[in-house]
Amino acid sequence: MGVMHEWCRLLAVSVIAIVAAGAPAHAQSGGDPERGEKAFKKCAVCHSVKAGEKKTTGPNLHNLFGRKAASTDDYKFSDAMKKSGVVWDEKAVDAYLLDPKKHIPGTKMVFQGIRDDRERADLIAFLKKAQ
Ligand code: HEC
């Protein structure tokens, strides 16, 4: 019984692991920066990730992680963003990209949001690499 029982347990554990991996986990770590770079084309109309590069349509996203919302001086942010009190960590960026207007009501960012958890994780991985 011992061996068979152990085998069953292992099988059950791996099935659970596979199911968990496929579940729509909240986008956090584990994104792919290369896929994120492609996905960033949607953002690049308005944003640059290169240090010091200005765009008139949106703030520079270089060194995004760990900084306070609306803290770069290359862009005139909305009052909503200035007063949000958000510090950009993975969770905050994830929530903002999922639904910008819901996470920061009154934001000037005209973007419908990204429903795909993996795509947001990829974008976060890319933005981190661009620090
Ligand atoms: C149509 C233009 C546009 C697009 C497309 C766009 N953004 Fe934005 N984004 C903005 C604007 C404008 C702001 C400033 C919002 C405000 O002041 O309320 C902003 C703000 C941000 C901020 C906060 C920056 C800070 O310093 O506080 C992040 C992060 C961000 N955008 C990420 C993204 C990402 C990632 C994408 C692509 C998935 C994207 N945006 C797509 C225009 C855009």
Side-chain angles (χ1 to χ4, degrees):
M1 152 177 190
V3 173
M4 194 60 194
H5 187 223
E6 184 60 14
W7 189 83
C8 279
R9 199 185 65 81
L10 275 179
L11 184 68
V13 167
S14 39
V15 167
I16 291 166
I18 290 163
V19 170
H26 245 282
Q28 293 284 312
S29 45
D32 176 345
E34 278 171 31
R35 280 200 311 257
E37 186 169 9
K38 293 201 187 96
F40 191 76
K41 287 196 182 120
K42 293 181 191 172
C43 326
V45 205
C46 302
H47 293 288
S48 169
V49 283
K50 291 201 193 94
E53 189 175 76
K54 274 194 190 188
K55 293 220 173 179
T56 47
T57 40
N60 187 292
L61 297 181
H62 185 75
N63 266 338
L64 176 70
F65 288 87
R67 86 183 183 208
K68 274 168 55 186
S71 61
T72 64
D73 53 16
D74 67 325
Y75 184 78
K76 215 172 161 309
F77 287 90
S78 63
D79 284 344
M81 188 61 91
K82 283 190 235 164
K83 288 179 189 152
S84 68
V86 166
V87 174
W88 294 118
D89 59 9
E90 288 186 9
K91 252 181 103 175
V93 174
D94 184 52
Y96 187 55
L97 294 185
L98 174 66
D99 193 344
K101 293 226 152 43
K102 193 171 164 207
H103 188 60
I104 300 183
T107 180
K108 278 206 280 188
M109 176 156 130
V110 183
F111 188 69
Q112 74 277 28
I114 297 170
R115 295 281 166 267
D116 185 335
D117 292 335
R118 197 178 81 170
E119 191 177 338
R120 293 196 311 281
D122 292 344
L123 275 165
I124 288 169
F126 169 68
L127 287 170
K128 283 200 144 171
K129 221 179 142 185
Q131 295 256 59

